[in-house]
Amino acid sequence: MGNDTHHTVAIFSDHDIADHLGELGALLHACVHHGASIGYVLTFSVEDGKTFWRDKVLPAVRNGSRLLLVVRRDGRIAGSVQLDYDTPPNQPHRAEVRKLLVHPDFRRQGLSRLLMAELERHAGGLNRRLLTLDTRTGDAAEPLYASLGYRTVGIIPGYCRDPFADQLDPTTIMYKAL
Ligand SMILES: CC(C)(COP(=O)(O)OP(=O)(O)OC[C@H]1O[C@@H](n2cnc3c(N)ncnc32)[C@H](O)[C@@H]1OP(=O)(O)O)[C@@H](O)C(=O)NCCC(=O)NCCS
């Protein structure tokens, strides 16, 4: 990361989400259109992106079952990640890492490492010491998570639709014990 740029990672409340729906929607939109396998397929509009944050993330943050971290670079939202700790009573120590997103304009600058380090710090604070996730097999996120100490459990073939093509893609299941 250069010295001439300024990065900040912040916890976003439900009010912060409501106040930044446009930028958050644009972040998700850009990632989907750049080929990310993060739950959506084309066609996908900025309005669809805003709907995701408003209808899926905001209520979970409001009811205290999800943590949303946002990284800004020079004031602009550059990425985000979520910790979903809406787990059943027999898994009070576990949480799911969801939707690590870095805007295509800001990739390979260490922002995802920064987000994940903060996420793990907060997970520890919440006593969530087992983190699980899945990511499309072969995507950039796979070596990223591996470099952060996430171990691969296995691959599920035909797990999700490709965002662009008429095909099903495999997913890799990973975990890390903090
Ligand atoms: C995966 C993603 C979050 C990485 O974000 P990023 O900020 O560019 O990642 P970083 O700069 O922190 O990279 C950290 C390390 O991850 C690995 N990595 C990141 N992008 C990579 C790529 N395109 N190819 C191979 N390795 C990559 C490298 O080991 C990298 O370290 P290095 O730059 O020192 O070599 C980003 O590409 C993204 O948003 N992708 C689309 C969304 C997605 O797939 N999210 C995961 C959902 S589970």
Side-chain angles (χ1 to χ4, degrees):
M1 280 180 264
N3 295 328
D4 54 342
T5 54
H6 187 57
H7 303 82
T8 50
V9 178
I11 297 177
F12 258 35
S13 69
D14 51 347
H15 298 292
D16 294 326
I17 296 171
D19 289 346
H20 295 86
L21 271 184
E23 251 190 302
L24 290 168
L27 169 66
L28 185 61
H29 175 263
C31 287
V32 171
H33 280 262
H34 218 257
S37 179
I38 41 177
Y40 294 98
V41 296
L42 297 189
T43 58
F44 188 80
S45 65
V46 174
E47 210 47 49
D48 293 331
K50 289 163 70 174
T51 301
F52 163 76
W53 294 101
R54 189 181 52 236
D55 293 358
K56 303 278 187 208
V57 186
L58 191 152
V61 167
R62 179 176 286 159
N63 75 24
S65 62
R66 199 174 299 193
L67 174 77
L68 170 63
L69 297 181
V70 169
V71 62
R72 286 196 181 87
R73 203 181 108 160
D74 297 330
R76 182 178 157 196
I77 290 181
S80 69
V81 68
Q82 299 169 44
L83 186 74
D84 177 356
Y85 49 100
D86 188 15
T87 49
N90 68 349
Q91 297 161 35
H93 58 297
R94 186 180 74 78
E96 186 84 8
V97 178
R98 291 200 189 280
K99 289 201 173 35
L100 173 63
L101 307 172
V102 172
H103 193 284
D105 291 350
F106 298 108
R107 291 195 182 157
R108 294 316 280 267
Q109 297 173 30
L111 294 187
S112 74
R113 279 192 201 284
L114 191 65
L115 282 165
M116 288 302 294
E118 274 299 289
L119 190 82
E120 290 181 5
R121 194 173 67 77
H122 285 288
L126 290 161
N127 242 342
R128 303 285 167 154
R129 306 209 164 268
L130 177 64
L131 301 187
T132 52
L133 61 86
D134 69 81
T135 187
R136 183 171 57 176
T137 308
D139 277 0
E142 213 181 342
L144 161 71
Y145 291 131
S147 77
L148 295 174
Y150 287 77
R151 301 182 66 169
T152 296
V153 177
I155 292 172
I156 303 177
Y159 189 79
C160 54
R161 281 184 64 200
D162 186 275
F164 297 152
D166 184 17
Q167 66 180 49
L168 292 176
D169 293 334
T171 201
T172 301
I173 309 291
M174 306 180 91
Y175 75 94
K176 181 175 179 178
L178 297 181

